Amino acid sequence: MEAICADSVIKDFGEVRALDEVSLGIDPGELFFLLGGSGCGKTTLLRCIAGLEEPTSGRILFEGKDVTDLPTHKREAAMVFQSYALWPHMTVGQNIAFGLEERKVPRSEISDRVREALEMVQMPGFEDRGIDQMSGGQQQRVSLARALVVKPKCLLLDEPLSNLDAQLRLEMRSEIRRIVKENGLTGVYVTHDQAEALSMADRLAVMDQGKVQQVGSPEKVYRNPESSLVASFIGETNLLAARVKGLESGGLVAVETDAGNFSGRLTLEGWSPREGDEVAISVRPEAIRVTGGGGESQGEVLQTTYLGEIIQYRIRMRSGVEVQASEMNPRSVIEQGSGVSLEFHSEDVVVLRE
Amino acid sequence: MNARKAIILTAAVALFFGVFFLFPVLMVLGEAFKDKGGGFTFAYVIQIFVNPVYLEGLWNALLLGVTSTFAALLIAFPLALLTHRYYFPLKGPLSALILVPLVLPPFVGAVGVKQMLGVKGALNAFLEKLGMMDPAAPVDWLGEGRFWGIVIMNALHLYPILYMNIAASLAHLDPAMEEAAQNLGCSPWRRLRRITMPLTMPGIFAGGAIVFIWSFTELGVPLVFDYSRVAPVQIYDGLKDLESNPFPYALVAVMLIISSAVFLLSKALLGRSKLGTAPRPKGRQSEKRLQGWKGWGLTAVFLGVFLLASLPHMGVILLSVATDWYGTILPEQFTGAHYDEALGHPLVVPSIQNSLLYASGAMLVDLVLGLAIAWVIVRSTIRGRALLDALVMLPLAVPGLVLAFGYLALSQEGRAFSFLVGANGNPALLLVMAYAVRRLPYVVRAAVAGLQQSNVTLEEAALSLGASPLRMMRRIALPLLAANLLAGGILAFAFAMLEVSDSLILAQQAEHFPITKAIYALLNTLGNGYELASALGVWAMVFLGISIVGAVSLAGKRGGLFRM
């Protein structure tokens, strides 16, 4: 049974529809990501799950039980806030003990559990510190401990790392994943940072304009985007307008574009394009192999960006279309202005419905 | 701003403040501890605590201060919490309307209360009509309950100060603070006690201290209610024989010390808590929209509080249009004659002119000083900025009575301020200065809030594009600050128009009376003095109601006006 389930959830704020019939299921023990740009509805969905927002229609289910009308404080879904929301009039220890006190846990047990929670987030002995004496990273850990200590059924995280600097963010990524997994928690994590989602998630949902666009594991969503929106939101890609020329063996589709003729695979289930259809193709820059000079060139290098482990080319094809390509571990650099030819495998070309 | 200019400005402000604020206040303190030969003595102050009459007056003033503050809190906290949590019909206009009582002069309202609760007042007439009271033995409500009458007048007058402070604290609260508690299993009521209340303490203390000092030293209301056993009235009565009697000085000194102690205590409590550093909200709307009868119910609550607070003033309005209102529930016949008559009375028109002159003068002084001080506090980096900030807030801690007293003593023939007294004893300059000093904190707070909100890079951009500092001020900084300055200025003006203690004490001749003193004089006139005073009071209230609504709608939402 799914740990958390959203069933056709609609949420309107006045005229604005923040969630548009969202349905998805989250499995027990899984770290699930809601990914999308600002205003896509991801935080609203999280707040509906937490009970901080009441859906206009639709249901929220926890382990099959309808909790839509259950107030937040009875849901056992602990939340970690973007601003941490640590109460400044209480010490670290008092902040963490709060949820236990509300649950009428005996005094003696509270201090043990607060200590354990602080050890869990690697801040032992911080009980008596004031909130304002701690750095952002430490506050982040305390707010995590405060949510964990009540042994919630699920942990909800609202952009928890967005206020930290880049180095700390990397560190906390693995830290949060470790904590969620060690405690066997079901986690729902909201972010706009695709690297965070790809590196931490068991599964993720890409959201846009209040709708879930695609759900799947990071590899699946990255390799097999089902729409040009998902393809361009996750990672970088070249999206080219194309026209279907015909179907090939092995489920491949032949298309023609301004950058040449290709064949590519389909990702969207139940869709088969017909000859002459206007479609789009997506090719990741790293899937394109650039070879310089010799023979008849297909395009010209407009710009070369050398980043050490990787080199990026901006190439203008003869037809005028521009394409991004990148090469890992570059052994040589192709100079700006050189003629180049492009190669790629049809496995790396995804044909998408326009 | 360069350091040299900042230092010059600071020095000028400090000089002004030293002369017109610290000097008179310290002089009063000094007199209280000086014996006849000029030596130091505790005798007079000790006498205050030994003499049963003075002790009772002081004790009553303290009780009035404490009970009025709690009563005001009882009104303000629920209102602030409700506006913070819910959206209901007509919320916008209502949240401005419930601030209006602050400028309805309680001193005038007291006249209305007397009319309603007197022996031959509306309440008794109503009860007699119902057959619940024997007309031969009417109850003297005010005779029995003068103390509570004053408490209620003070609370209904001053609750907006607490309301604005608490509302500002709540507005600065990150909604996630409350949501986190809810999320961890806390029920709404417990959340109020464990999270919301403690986090709004800065607002409660800040507003509470001002309300306490205000009602502790209130002169006008006890005077109209004939409640003479309270320290401010005793001081006022002692003015006549000031030369020979040192006790008014001692009483003033004791009140000053208590007020300052409360002010400093609230500052210290605020300073120690780090609540001011709580994170700001992230722009998520936390107001819940209430539908149907619940929403309209809240509308009714807010309207009810306003009506209750303005009931005394409605009495004043009725009185001002009544031909005769004696022993009946409502006046039997109405007339506009009092207004005409009032305009013809030798006290009325000059008093309106005088008040307009004094109040605009005070407003101008405050605007210039307030802007300069705010600029130093926010935009300069000189040392001692914090001290300057604390210094200009001090007038909030010093009762108006103390300052008026000091000014009066210093303006006598041959003393330091006698140059401020114009020909024929004209107190215009004295009153302008007294009004200005006491209202300065509001203008400074308004200007500081405005400067903090407007990004300094906007000014730097203008300078980098070649504008001289003065042109930058005129074209960029002042327009950005305009709303705040206007709001602070209007507030200073409104308060100056209604000021009681300075006006009563410093204006001696009828031709120089400001409105409040003219009203007080009319109240003591036989014949239709009450009706004329009411008519004048109504004129003043209409005028002030308009200006405060203007000020609030300009900058009230930002809430900074009554912060300490």
Side-chain angles (χ1 to χ4, degrees):
Chain A
M1 177 168 305
E2 285 152 340
I4 301 168
C5 176
D7 178 16
S8 321
V9 173
I10 293 178
K11 175 70 190 176
D12 293 330
F13 291 109
E15 298 292 298
V16 183
R17 178 149 290 191
L19 293 176
D20 194 358
E21 287 213 45
V22 170
S23 293
L24 49 80
I26 297 164
D27 296 328
E30 134 175 278
L31 184 52
F32 191 93
F33 270 62
L34 298 174
L35 179 63
S38 65
C40 73
K42 57 190 191 302
T43 298
T44 306
L45 181 56
L46 189 79
R47 290 170 61 85
C48 283
I49 294 174
L52 293 169
E53 217 76 75
E54 208 177 316
T56 309
S57 74
R59 297 185 306 157
I60 303 285
L61 306 162
F62 281 9
E63 290 168 349
K65 269 205 306 274
D66 188 346
V67 295
T68 319
D69 296 325
L70 204 62
T72 311
H73 61 276
K74 293 185 179 150
R75 280 202 196 185
E76 303 287 325
M79 178 133 160
V80 174
F81 290 82
Q82 185 175 15
S83 59
Y84 314 141
L86 297 174
W87 301 300
H89 62 303
M90 300 182 186
T91 63
V92 168
Q94 286 167 339
N95 261 280
I96 298 175
F98 183 91
L100 297 175
E101 286 159 12
E102 291 303 318
R103 284 167 178 70
K104 308 249 179 331
V105 173
R107 280 259 151 237
S108 52
E109 195 187 328
I110 288 182
S111 58
D112 287 343
R113 279 174 67 176
V114 169
R115 187 157 33 77
E116 277 168 32
L118 278 171
E119 276 163 15
M120 167 79 71
V121 296
Q122 302 182 341
M123 288 181 62
F126 273 67
E127 279 93 337
D128 296 327
R129 297 287 187 92
I131 296 304
D132 52 322
Q133 293 172 302
M134 290 184 304
S135 66
Q138 288 173 323
Q139 293 196 10
Q140 170 64 71
R141 285 169 192 268
V142 173
S143 83
L144 205 55
R146 185 176 70 180
L148 287 172
V149 76
V150 299
K151 304 209 163 96
K153 287 190 191 134
C154 58
L155 185 65
L156 309 177
L157 303 120
D158 183 11
E159 308 227 13
L161 304 183
S162 62
N163 291 335
L164 300 181
D165 61 51
Q167 185 56 42
L168 212 51
R169 219 177 297 163
L170 286 181
E171 210 176 291
M172 287 305 291
R173 276 187 201 167
S174 49
E175 187 74 1
I176 289 179
R177 190 171 161 88
R178 173 184 70 79
I179 288 168
V180 170
K181 290 295 163 188
E182 267 177 23
N183 287 277
L185 291 165
T186 306
V188 187
Y189 190 122
V190 161
T191 186
H192 64 270
D193 181 340
Q194 43 145 325
E196 217 164 277
L198 290 175
S199 62
M200 295 172 70
D202 292 321
R203 284 196 307 150
L204 56 88
V206 179
M207 293 186 67
D208 186 61
Q209 296 188 352
K211 288 191 164 127
V212 172
Q213 301 293 330
Q214 190 173 350
V215 180
S217 66
E219 313 87 271
K220 182 165 171 263
V221 175
Y222 189 83
R223 291 284 307 162
N224 305 326
E226 289 170 359
S227 63
S228 42
L229 192 135
V230 173
S232 56
F233 187 76
I234 306 252
E236 275 183 64
T237 197
N238 294 295
L239 279 176
L240 301 173
R243 182 196 301 272
V244 177
K245 276 173 41 186
L247 299 179
E248 295 178 350
S249 60
L252 292 180
V253 180
V255 295
E256 61 176 353
T257 73
D258 287 345
N261 296 337
F262 308 106
S263 56
R265 53 197 180 82
L266 297 173
T267 50
L268 187 58
E269 241 172 84
W271 176 60
S272 50
R274 274 184 299 228
E275 195 176 329
D277 279 358
E278 298 289 338
V279 294
I281 61 164
S282 157
V283 191
R284 304 276 182 199
E286 69 272 18
I288 301 178
R289 231 168 72 81
V290 183
T291 47
E296 196 176 324
S297 63
Q298 297 172 316
E300 179 196 346
V301 174
L302 283 182
Q303 193 183 28
T304 302
T305 311
Y306 183 74
L307 295 171
E309 84 276 21
I310 200 166
I311 191 162
Q312 295 171 340
Y313 296 112
R314 195 149 64 85
I315 297 156
R316 182 161 56 210
M317 309 301 286
R318 291 190 165 232
S319 59
V321 176
E322 287 182 17
V323 171
Q324 301 276 352
S326 58
E327 189 184 343
M328 289 293 291
N329 193 19
R331 299 205 175 92
S332 63
V333 178
I334 301 170
E335 291 299 327
Q336 209 168 306
S338 319
V340 288
S341 298
L342 309 184
E343 275 172 42
F344 38 84
H345 201 274
S346 52
E347 178 65 20
D348 294 326
V349 178
V350 174
V351 178
L352 300 163
R353 186 151 66 175
E354 256 302 70
Chain B
M1 177 196 264
N2 69 39
R4 204 164 52 89
K5 272 190 218 152
I7 289 169
I8 293 172
L9 261 185
T10 311
V13 168
L15 186 71
F16 173 88
F17 225 70
V19 171
F20 292 107
F21 178 70
L22 293 180
F23 175 50
V25 169
L26 291 177
M27 192 279 303
V28 172
L29 261 186
E31 289 294 326
F33 294 100
K34 213 183 317 177
D35 66 19
K36 290 203 171 60
F40 182 85
T41 176
F42 271 121
Y44 303 135
V45 171
I46 290 170
Q47 197 59 39
I48 296 289
F49 291 97
V50 175
N51 183 322
V53 176
Y54 288 137
L55 193 61
E56 193 196 351
L58 202 57
W59 179 242
N60 283 338
L62 262 180
L63 275 184
L64 275 180
V66 172
T67 40
S68 302
T69 308
F70 274 101
L73 184 64
L74 230 51
I75 304 172
F77 191 83
L79 288 185
L81 197 65
L82 290 172
T83 31
H84 175 62
R85 292 254 164 94
Y86 302 111
Y87 186 86
F88 47 89
L90 301 177
K91 178 171 178 175
L94 278 175
S95 39
L97 197 64
I98 58 162
L99 300 180
V100 170
L102 187 57
V103 292
L104 295 178
F107 166 72
V108 175
V111 177
V113 170
K114 273 176 88 170
Q115 190 61 41
M116 289 186 244
L117 299 185
V119 179
K120 285 289 177 189
L123 180 64
N124 280 1
F126 180 66
L127 290 175
E128 277 167 29
K129 191 152 212 170
L130 288 182
M132 289 169 70
M133 195 191 309
D134 178 6
V139 179
D140 182 4
W141 297 99
L142 281 175
E144 306 290 325
R146 254 188 302 221
F147 178 87
W148 291 104
I150 297 170
V151 167
I152 291 169
M153 285 304 294
N154 282 340
L156 288 176
H157 172 222
L158 298 173
Y159 79 84
I161 294 181
L162 265 165
Y163 170 83
M164 280 192 265
N165 275 283
I166 297 170
S169 283
L170 286 171
H172 286 168
L173 199 62
D174 182 353
M177 292 280 171
E178 291 187 308
E179 287 170 0
Q182 216 179 333
N183 178 259
L184 286 169
C186 198
S187 69
W189 277 108
R190 284 179 53 79
R191 183 186 60 180
L192 178 68
R193 195 170 62 72
R194 294 199 60 187
I195 306 295
T196 316
M197 280 277 262
L199 289 177
T200 41
M201 274 306 162
I204 293 176
F205 273 110
I210 298 178
V211 172
F212 171 81
I213 292 168
W214 199 317
S215 42
F216 174 53
T217 60
E218 170 70 36
L219 172 63
V221 180
L223 216 49
V224 176
F225 275 142
D226 298 322
Y227 189 63
S228 55
R229 291 180 169 190
V230 62
V233 178
Q234 290 173 334
I235 294 169
Y236 183 72
D237 289 340
L239 289 176
K240 289 158 208 130
D241 48 20
L242 200 54
E243 301 300 318
S244 56
N245 185 358
F247 288 110
Y249 282 112
L251 205 50
V252 166
V254 172
M255 295 197 82
L256 174 63
I257 289 164
I258 294 174
S259 298
S260 313
V262 168
F263 185 76
L264 290 177
L265 191 72
S266 79
K267 275 281 196 192
L269 287 175
L270 286 182
R272 246 191 306 138
S273 79
K274 294 290 188 334
L275 301 187
T277 60
R280 296 292 174 95
K282 296 273 187 285
R284 184 168 281 278
Q285 191 71 304
S286 57
E287 272 174 20
K288 196 169 154 193
R289 190 173 280 270
L290 284 185
Q291 304 290 353
W293 68 269
K294 279 186 183 165
W296 286 103
L298 275 193
T299 310
V301 167
F302 275 73
L303 200 61
V305 170
F306 170 74
L307 288 178
L308 195 63
S310 53
L311 199 59
H313 302 86
M314 310 232 177
V316 176
I317 294 173
L318 274 181
L319 189 57
S320 72
V321 294
T323 46
D324 186 29
W325 188 8
Y326 188 79
T328 52
I329 303 173
L330 289 175
E332 315 256 88
Q333 277 182 314
F334 296 96
T335 171
H338 301 312
Y339 286 90
D340 287 341
E341 210 177 322
L343 291 179
H345 192 280
L347 272 179
V348 173
V349 174
S351 78
I352 294 178
Q353 285 168 344
N354 287 338
S355 272
L356 282 175
L357 180 73
Y358 305 155
S360 353
M363 180 178 76
L364 279 181
V365 173
D366 275 347
L367 281 178
V368 172
L369 282 175
L371 185 61
I373 293 168
W375 205 271
V376 171
I377 291 171
V378 181
R379 291 286 191 258
S380 82
T381 51
I382 62 164
R383 253 186 264 187
R385 272 175 304 150
L387 191 68
L388 181 68
D389 195 2
L391 192 68
V392 296
M393 288 297 110
L394 273 184
L396 290 181
V398 174
L401 198 59
V402 175
L403 204 65
F405 204 74
Y407 272 55
L408 180 68
L410 283 174
S411 61
Q412 304 301 320
E413 210 39 62
R415 302 286 305 262
F417 284 5
S418 56
F419 74 96
L420 285 173
V421 182
N424 201 8
N426 189 341
L429 281 175
L430 266 185
L431 279 173
V432 166
M433 283 308 172
Y435 290 166
V437 165
R438 286 192 49 216
R439 307 309 168 202
L440 187 58
Y442 302 113
V443 182
V444 170
R445 281 280 72 98
V448 163
L451 274 178
Q452 279 169 343
Q453 282 157 5
S454 105
N455 196 329
V456 69
T457 55
L458 297 176
E459 292 157 24
E460 289 166 353
L463 293 174
S464 78
L465 290 172
S468 71
L470 270 180
R471 302 245 330 137
M472 182 278 286
M473 272 299 258
R474 200 167 65 73
R475 297 196 50 197
I476 308 293
L478 282 181
L480 286 172
L481 269 179
N484 289 71
L485 281 180
L486 202 57
I490 291 174
L491 207 60
F493 178 80
F495 278 134
M497 291 282 287
L498 308 169
E499 211 284 338
V500 175
S501 34
D502 292 324
S503 313
L504 255 49
I505 292 175
L506 293 176
Q508 316 269 357
Q509 276 106 8
E511 60 191 288
H512 302 134
F513 281 2
I515 290 178
T516 37
K517 181 127 193 187
I519 290 176
Y520 186 62
L522 284 173
L523 288 178
N524 291 327
T525 312
L526 291 176
N528 60 357
Y530 262 69
E531 284 82 1
L532 292 185
S534 303
L536 180 52
V538 172
W539 281 123
M541 288 190 302
V542 167
F543 203 53
L544 290 170
I546 294 169
S547 43
I548 195 78
V549 170
V552 166
S553 59
L554 278 174
K557 275 265 171 196
R558 299 176 194 166
L561 289 182
F562 289 89
R563 309 271 286 168
M564 284 167 44

PDB file of all heavy atoms in Angstrom, chain B residues 61 93 97 120 122 143 154 232 317 343 353 426 495 531:
ATOM      1  N   ALA B  61      -2.665  56.674  41.112  1.00  0.00           N
ATOM      2  CA  ALA B  61      -2.127  56.842  39.761  1.00  0.00           C
ATOM      3  C   ALA B  61      -1.514  55.527  39.279  1.00  0.00           C
ATOM      4  O   ALA B  61      -1.719  55.106  38.134  1.00  0.00           O
ATOM      5  CB  ALA B  61      -1.081  57.951  39.737  1.00  0.00           C
ATOM      6  N   PRO B  93     -11.131  48.726   5.780  1.00  0.00           N
ATOM      7  CA  PRO B  93     -11.600  49.931   6.471  1.00  0.00           C
ATOM      8  C   PRO B  93     -11.715  49.737   7.979  1.00  0.00           C
ATOM      9  O   PRO B  93     -11.410  50.660   8.741  1.00  0.00           O
ATOM     10  CB  PRO B  93     -12.986  50.174   5.864  1.00  0.00           C
ATOM     11  CG  PRO B  93     -13.240  49.108   4.894  1.00  0.00           C
ATOM     12  CD  PRO B  93     -12.023  48.306   4.694  1.00  0.00           C
ATOM     13  N   LEU B  97     -10.364  51.848  11.077  1.00  0.00           N
ATOM     14  CA  LEU B  97     -11.360  52.477  11.952  1.00  0.00           C
ATOM     15  C   LEU B  97     -11.055  52.228  13.423  1.00  0.00           C
ATOM     16  O   LEU B  97     -11.216  53.130  14.261  1.00  0.00           O
ATOM     17  CB  LEU B  97     -12.748  51.921  11.617  1.00  0.00           C
ATOM     18  CG  LEU B  97     -13.934  52.731  12.126  1.00  0.00           C
ATOM     19  CD1 LEU B  97     -13.968  54.099  11.486  1.00  0.00           C
ATOM     20  CD2 LEU B  97     -15.233  51.991  11.848  1.00  0.00           C
ATOM     21  N   LYS B 120     -28.480  62.538  36.683  1.00  0.00           N
ATOM     22  CA  LYS B 120     -29.599  62.842  35.793  1.00  0.00           C
ATOM     23  C   LYS B 120     -29.254  62.458  34.353  1.00  0.00           C
ATOM     24  O   LYS B 120     -29.670  63.096  33.395  1.00  0.00           O
ATOM     25  CB  LYS B 120     -29.937  64.338  35.867  1.00  0.00           C
ATOM     26  CG  LYS B 120     -30.667  64.710  37.145  1.00  0.00           C
ATOM     27  CD  LYS B 120     -32.085  64.158  37.111  1.00  0.00           C
ATOM     28  CE  LYS B 120     -32.832  64.461  38.410  1.00  0.00           C
ATOM     29  NZ  LYS B 120     -34.118  63.743  38.461  1.00  0.00           N
ATOM     30  N   ALA B 122     -28.357  59.670  30.975  1.00  0.00           N
ATOM     31  CA  ALA B 122     -29.144  58.819  30.088  1.00  0.00           C
ATOM     32  C   ALA B 122     -29.395  57.438  30.688  1.00  0.00           C
ATOM     33  O   ALA B 122     -30.491  56.894  30.578  1.00  0.00           O
ATOM     34  CB  ALA B 122     -28.436  58.685  28.743  1.00  0.00           C
ATOM     35  N   GLY B 143     -19.992  58.777  40.863  1.00  0.00           N
ATOM     36  CA  GLY B 143     -19.562  58.986  42.234  1.00  0.00           C
ATOM     37  C   GLY B 143     -19.011  57.693  42.801  1.00  0.00           C
ATOM     38  O   GLY B 143     -17.982  57.671  43.462  1.00  0.00           O
ATOM     39  N   ASN B 154      -9.420  55.316  29.636  1.00  0.00           N
ATOM     40  CA  ASN B 154      -8.031  55.149  29.221  1.00  0.00           C
ATOM     41  C   ASN B 154      -7.868  53.950  28.293  1.00  0.00           C
ATOM     42  O   ASN B 154      -7.209  54.036  27.257  1.00  0.00           O
ATOM     43  CB  ASN B 154      -7.138  54.939  30.452  1.00  0.00           C
ATOM     44  CG  ASN B 154      -6.847  56.239  31.169  1.00  0.00           C
ATOM     45  OD1 ASN B 154      -6.990  57.315  30.580  1.00  0.00           O
ATOM     46  ND2 ASN B 154      -6.443  56.153  32.419  1.00  0.00           N
ATOM     47  N   PRO B 232      -1.376  63.236  39.240  1.00  0.00           N
ATOM     48  CA  PRO B 232      -1.309  64.299  38.228  1.00  0.00           C
ATOM     49  C   PRO B 232      -2.207  65.490  38.567  1.00  0.00           C
ATOM     50  O   PRO B 232      -1.810  66.642  38.369  1.00  0.00           O
ATOM     51  CB  PRO B 232      -1.792  63.605  36.955  1.00  0.00           C
ATOM     52  CG  PRO B 232      -1.482  62.179  37.172  1.00  0.00           C
ATOM     53  CD  PRO B 232      -1.672  61.932  38.635  1.00  0.00           C
ATOM     54  N   ILE B 317     -21.332  64.366  20.777  1.00  0.00           N
ATOM     55  CA  ILE B 317     -21.991  64.874  19.571  1.00  0.00           C
ATOM     56  C   ILE B 317     -23.459  65.185  19.861  1.00  0.00           C
ATOM     57  O   ILE B 317     -23.973  66.243  19.496  1.00  0.00           O
ATOM     58  CB  ILE B 317     -21.871  63.846  18.423  1.00  0.00           C
ATOM     59  CG1 ILE B 317     -20.396  63.704  18.027  1.00  0.00           C
ATOM     60  CG2 ILE B 317     -22.700  64.273  17.225  1.00  0.00           C
ATOM     61  CD1 ILE B 317     -20.125  62.620  17.030  1.00  0.00           C
ATOM     62  N   LEU B 343     -19.030  79.435  17.531  1.00  0.00           N
ATOM     63  CA  LEU B 343     -18.171  80.209  16.635  1.00  0.00           C
ATOM     64  C   LEU B 343     -18.159  81.684  17.024  1.00  0.00           C
ATOM     65  O   LEU B 343     -17.220  82.410  16.712  1.00  0.00           O
ATOM     66  CB  LEU B 343     -18.633  80.041  15.182  1.00  0.00           C
ATOM     67  CG  LEU B 343     -18.399  78.631  14.621  1.00  0.00           C
ATOM     68  CD1 LEU B 343     -18.903  78.530  13.192  1.00  0.00           C
ATOM     69  CD2 LEU B 343     -16.931  78.253  14.688  1.00  0.00           C
ATOM     70  N   GLN B 353      -7.516  78.772  15.889  1.00  0.00           N
ATOM     71  CA  GLN B 353      -6.373  79.382  15.185  1.00  0.00           C
ATOM     72  C   GLN B 353      -5.080  79.095  15.933  1.00  0.00           C
ATOM     73  O   GLN B 353      -4.069  78.706  15.336  1.00  0.00           O
ATOM     74  CB  GLN B 353      -6.574  80.888  15.054  1.00  0.00           C
ATOM     75  CG  GLN B 353      -7.600  81.246  13.999  1.00  0.00           C
ATOM     76  CD  GLN B 353      -8.011  82.721  14.079  1.00  0.00           C
ATOM     77  OE1 GLN B 353      -7.758  83.398  15.085  1.00  0.00           O
ATOM     78  NE2 GLN B 353      -8.643  83.204  13.030  1.00  0.00           N
ATOM     79  N   ASN B 426       2.740  85.584  25.526  1.00  0.00           N
ATOM     80  CA  ASN B 426       2.378  84.653  24.457  1.00  0.00           C
ATOM     81  C   ASN B 426       3.223  83.380  24.537  1.00  0.00           C
ATOM     82  O   ASN B 426       4.431  83.422  24.394  1.00  0.00           O
ATOM     83  CB  ASN B 426       2.591  85.349  23.109  1.00  0.00           C
ATOM     84  CG  ASN B 426       2.039  84.513  21.976  1.00  0.00           C
ATOM     85  OD1 ASN B 426       1.823  83.318  22.134  1.00  0.00           O
ATOM     86  ND2 ASN B 426       1.799  85.155  20.851  1.00  0.00           N
ATOM     87  N   PHE B 495      -1.622  64.742  17.446  1.00  0.00           N
ATOM     88  CA  PHE B 495      -1.395  64.687  18.889  1.00  0.00           C
ATOM     89  C   PHE B 495      -1.211  66.077  19.485  1.00  0.00           C
ATOM     90  O   PHE B 495      -1.646  66.352  20.600  1.00  0.00           O
ATOM     91  CB  PHE B 495      -0.189  63.819  19.214  1.00  0.00           C
ATOM     92  CG  PHE B 495      -0.502  62.367  19.251  1.00  0.00           C
ATOM     93  CD1 PHE B 495       0.310  61.447  18.625  1.00  0.00           C
ATOM     94  CD2 PHE B 495      -1.620  61.915  19.925  1.00  0.00           C
ATOM     95  CE1 PHE B 495       0.015  60.096  18.667  1.00  0.00           C
ATOM     96  CE2 PHE B 495      -1.922  60.575  19.973  1.00  0.00           C
ATOM     97  CZ  PHE B 495      -1.105  59.659  19.337  1.00  0.00           C
ATOM     98  N   GLU B 531     -22.432  72.553  26.448  1.00  0.00           N
ATOM     99  CA  GLU B 531     -22.832  72.390  25.044  1.00  0.00           C
ATOM    100  C   GLU B 531     -21.805  73.039  24.114  1.00  0.00           C
ATOM    101  O   GLU B 531     -21.466  72.489  23.080  1.00  0.00           O
ATOM    102  CB  GLU B 531     -24.224  72.999  24.812  1.00  0.00           C
ATOM    103  CG  GLU B 531     -25.380  72.148  25.327  1.00  0.00           C
ATOM    104  CD  GLU B 531     -25.634  72.324  26.817  1.00  0.00           C
ATOM    105  OE1 GLU B 531     -24.913  73.126  27.466  1.00  0.00           O
ATOM    106  OE2 GLU B 531     -26.548  71.658  27.345  1.00  0.00           O
TER     107      GLU B 531
END
